């Protein structure tokens, strides 16, 4: 079966997905590119990235040493802005 590609990177045909990973302070979206040999490979890399980011944000919020103020600040600036 033929592989679906939509760009060329360093002479190799690749499939590129672009996903919004957050927003800048002025409200503009931040993008991240995910490359794979085919569409399903790029989608898997994108999904793995978001699962890893979610796990890291949960781990950051589970710290028992933070006060409510510090915890809410962490949640606003590190979790919600992703």
């Amino acid at each position: 079966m033929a592989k679906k590609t939509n760009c060329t990177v360093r002479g190799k045909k690749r499939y590129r997905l672009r996903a919004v990973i957050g927003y800048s302070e002025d409200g503009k979206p931040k993008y991240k590119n995910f490359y794979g040999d085919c569409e399903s490979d790029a989608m898997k890399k994108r999904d793995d990235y978001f699962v890893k980011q979610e796990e890291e944000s949960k781990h950051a919020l589970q710290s028992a040493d933070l006060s409510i103020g510090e915890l809410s600040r962490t949640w606003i600036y590190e979790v919600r802005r992703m």
Side-chain angles (χ1 to χ4, degrees):
M1 190 166 137
K3 292 184 179 182
K4 182 178 178 182
T5 61
N6 63 0
C7 70
T8 303
V9 178
R10 297 185 189 124
K12 292 178 93 178
K13 292 191 175 206
R14 309 288 282 182
Y15 189 86
R16 182 185 77 162
L17 281 177
R18 239 176 123 184
V20 176
I21 60 168
Y23 294 91
S24 63
E25 292 178 3
D26 58 349
K28 293 181 182 177
K30 292 182 185 178
Y31 295 100
K32 180 165 177 66
N33 294 323
F34 299 93
Y35 295 96
D37 292 331
C38 58
E39 183 178 9
S40 60
D41 188 31
M43 291 174 97
K44 183 178 180 336
K45 288 180 181 183
R46 179 197 59 193
D47 295 342
D48 290 344
Y49 174 81
F50 283 119
V51 166
K52 183 180 175 187
Q53 292 299 315
E54 185 176 327
E55 289 173 359
E56 287 177 1
S57 66
K58 284 181 183 178
H59 178 69
L61 292 176
Q62 291 177 352
S63 177
D65 297 334
L66 296 177
S67 69
I68 270 296
E70 293 169 329
L71 186 61
S72 62
R73 183 180 186 89
T74 301
W75 185 76
I76 290 170
Y77 291 104
E78 293 181 16
V79 176
R80 293 294 294 170
R81 286 209 170 168
M82 284 206 271

